[in-house]
């Protein structure tokens, strides 16, 4: 699947500091109708902390409109950066309350914290989404029989419905892990579908952050870094005619020919477009 006129969201998480990103945003803006932009990070607290939100939001409001809808994506924090991420989130939300109208969280601890914070700060009027890291469906297109089977994501469970009701969740997100994807409807919930890349795997160890460290200090989980991933990606050759890209701690595979089944035309859907193809070739690899 490729970006079409029905695509409404643009995902700039993990890539907003790449070279030529402003040019890439301009081309997407000129050719497609984008009504919402996701910023922040799904996968890395260091990246989230070091993103220049003043510069980014100024660029987005100038490129699109001062009223463009923005979703702040909060990664899963570690013990090392939990306090700092909480402080950063509160500062960003207070400063940009006129721009950011949603937050996406990716773990239950942050979900509970943000729910309580928003209950005591109702003036912010923010919706809460459950991000893609919540949902642990197996994913590996190298296993043809598994990948080509029809798959129903595991988010449609009794426990999740209780969580959605308890925390007043407005949207949940899904990665298209198979070639054929059955999309269950949950009443009143917007389903965001990430395209055209699916995240394959992620973790707390970053090889970029290890580059300039002593040999005995390399490949340690959640170490501080200078965001060496800002202008480089790793491309893997799996001999399967598919693009495999590593950005930061996360490996993505291209899945742009999937089929969505059981689509209810009355339900609300979002395509969340990740412009990784536009990034490729613009930076060192």
């Amino acid at each position: 699947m490729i970006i079409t006129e029905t695509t409404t969201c643009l995902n700039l998480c993990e890539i907003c500091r790449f070279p030529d990103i402003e040019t890439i945003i301009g081309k997407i803006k000129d050719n497609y109708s984008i009504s919402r932009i996701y910023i922040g990070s799904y996968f890395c607290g260091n990246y989230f902390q070091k993103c220049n939100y003043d510069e980014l939001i100024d660029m987005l409001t100038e490129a699109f409109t001062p009223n463009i809808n923005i979703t702040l994506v909060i990664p899963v924090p570690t013990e090392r950066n939990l306090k700092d991420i909480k402080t950063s989130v509160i500062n960003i939300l207070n400063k940009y309350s006129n721009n950011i109208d949603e937050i996406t969280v990716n773990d239950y601890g942050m979900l509970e914290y943000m729910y309580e914070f928003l209950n005591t700060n109702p003036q912010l009027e923010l919706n809460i989404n459950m991000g893609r890291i919540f949902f642990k469906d197996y994913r590996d297109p190298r296993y043809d029989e598994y990948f080509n089977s029809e798959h129903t994501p595991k988010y449609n469970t009794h426990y999740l419905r209780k969580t959605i009701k308890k925390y007043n969740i407005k949207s949940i997100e899904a990665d298209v892990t198979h070639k054929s994807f059955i999309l269950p409807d949950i009443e009143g919930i917007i389903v965001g579908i990430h395209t055209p890349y699916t995240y394959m795997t992620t973790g707390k160890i970053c090889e970029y952050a290890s580059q300039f460290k002593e040999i005995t200090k390399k490949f340690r989980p959640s170490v501080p870094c200078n965001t060496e991933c800002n202008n480089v990606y790793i491309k893997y050759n799996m001999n399967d005619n598919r693009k495999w890209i590593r950005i930061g701690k996360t490996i993505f595979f291209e899945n742009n020919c999937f089929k969505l089944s059981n689509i209810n035309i009355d339900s609300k859907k979002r395509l969340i477009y990740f412009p990784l193809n536009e990034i490729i070739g613009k930076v060192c690899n």
Side-chain angles (χ1 to χ4, degrees):
M1 176 174 284
I2 60 174
I3 191 168
T4 69
E5 61 182 6
T6 60
T7 299
T8 58
C9 303
L10 179 63
N11 177 15
L12 297 180
C13 297
E14 332 306 332
I15 60 171
C16 70
R17 297 176 69 179
F18 271 71
D20 291 332
I21 190 64
E22 191 168 357
T23 301
I24 291 169
I25 290 172
K27 289 181 179 179
I28 292 174
K29 176 249 185 181
D30 290 341
N31 290 284
Y32 306 105
S33 177
I34 302 293
S35 61
R36 176 170 298 280
I37 299 173
Y38 289 67
I39 64 172
S41 177
Y42 286 94
F43 307 106
C44 183
N46 290 338
Y47 182 93
F48 180 87
Q49 289 289 94
K50 295 189 177 185
C51 187
N52 187 330
Y53 293 98
D54 293 336
E55 182 179 288
L56 177 59
I57 291 177
D58 284 348
M59 178 180 68
L60 294 176
T61 54
E62 182 176 344
F64 291 90
T65 167
N67 298 320
I68 186 70
N69 297 316
I70 296 177
T71 300
L72 180 68
V73 179
I74 306 169
V76 179
T78 65
E79 290 298 321
R80 185 194 297 267
N81 61 27
L82 175 60
K83 182 178 179 180
D84 290 339
I85 285 181
K86 285 181 175 179
T87 300
S88 293
V89 168
I90 292 172
N91 289 340
I92 293 167
L93 295 180
N94 283 323
K95 185 171 184 178
Y96 293 106
S97 59
N98 292 330
N99 304 99
I100 298 172
D101 65 343
E102 283 186 352
I103 56 171
T104 290
V105 298
N106 286 281
D107 71 293
Y108 283 100
M110 190 58 71
L111 174 59
E112 177 73 27
Y113 174 76
M114 292 309 304
Y115 178 74
E116 293 297 330
F117 171 75
L118 293 177
N119 276 344
T120 57
N121 294 270
Q123 74 279 4
L124 291 176
E125 298 183 342
L126 292 168
N127 292 328
I128 303 179
N129 307 331
M130 294 179 72
R132 63 203 301 190
I133 309 299
F134 268 104
F135 307 106
K136 312 297 185 183
D137 299 75
Y138 297 128
R139 57 200 73 199
D140 196 335
R142 295 172 295 180
Y143 294 91
D144 288 338
E145 184 176 354
Y146 178 70
F147 178 71
N148 292 325
S149 63
E150 196 170 55
H151 179 71
T152 302
K154 297 181 175 62
Y155 64 71
N156 191 22
T157 65
H158 174 69
Y159 180 75
L160 181 65
R161 291 174 185 273
K162 287 177 60 177
T163 302
I164 287 172
K165 183 177 181 180
K166 176 180 178 180
Y167 294 103
N168 195 26
I169 301 298
K170 299 302 182 183
S171 175
I172 62 175
E173 299 176 16
D175 278 85
V176 183
T177 56
H178 290 63
K179 194 170 184 177
S180 183
F181 206 64
I182 301 175
L183 204 62
D185 282 323
I186 300 179
E187 185 177 356
I189 294 298
I190 301 169
V191 177
I193 304 163
H194 286 273
T195 180
Y197 281 84
T198 296
Y199 93 87
M200 169 77 173
T201 186
T202 190
K204 297 300 182 185
I205 295 175
C206 180
E207 62 183 279
Y208 297 106
S210 296
Q211 285 181 3
F212 305 108
K213 290 183 170 56
E214 298 175 19
I215 189 68
T216 56
K217 296 182 179 180
K218 290 182 181 291
F219 306 113
R220 298 293 187 262
S222 305
V223 296
C225 70
N226 294 314
T227 54
E228 288 85 357
C229 62
N230 273 337
N231 60 358
V232 64
Y233 65 88
I234 296 174
K235 187 175 182 180
Y236 300 97
N237 183 6
M238 299 292 188
N239 296 315
D240 61 355
N241 296 316
R242 185 188 303 279
K243 293 175 184 174
W244 293 78
I245 306 293
R246 183 186 186 101
I247 300 287
K249 301 175 181 178
T250 306
I251 297 174
F252 300 87
F253 65 86
E254 190 175 33
N255 185 14
N256 60 359
C257 295
F258 61 85
K259 174 186 176 184
L260 293 178
S261 304
N262 193 34
I263 296 295
N264 182 346
I265 61 173
D266 294 325
S267 63
K268 296 180 180 180
K269 303 288 187 298
R270 291 177 182 171
L271 287 182
I272 305 173
Y273 182 72
F274 189 39
L276 197 49
N277 285 331
E278 289 81 351
I279 293 290
I280 295 173
K282 295 286 187 181
V283 297
C284 301
N285 62 83

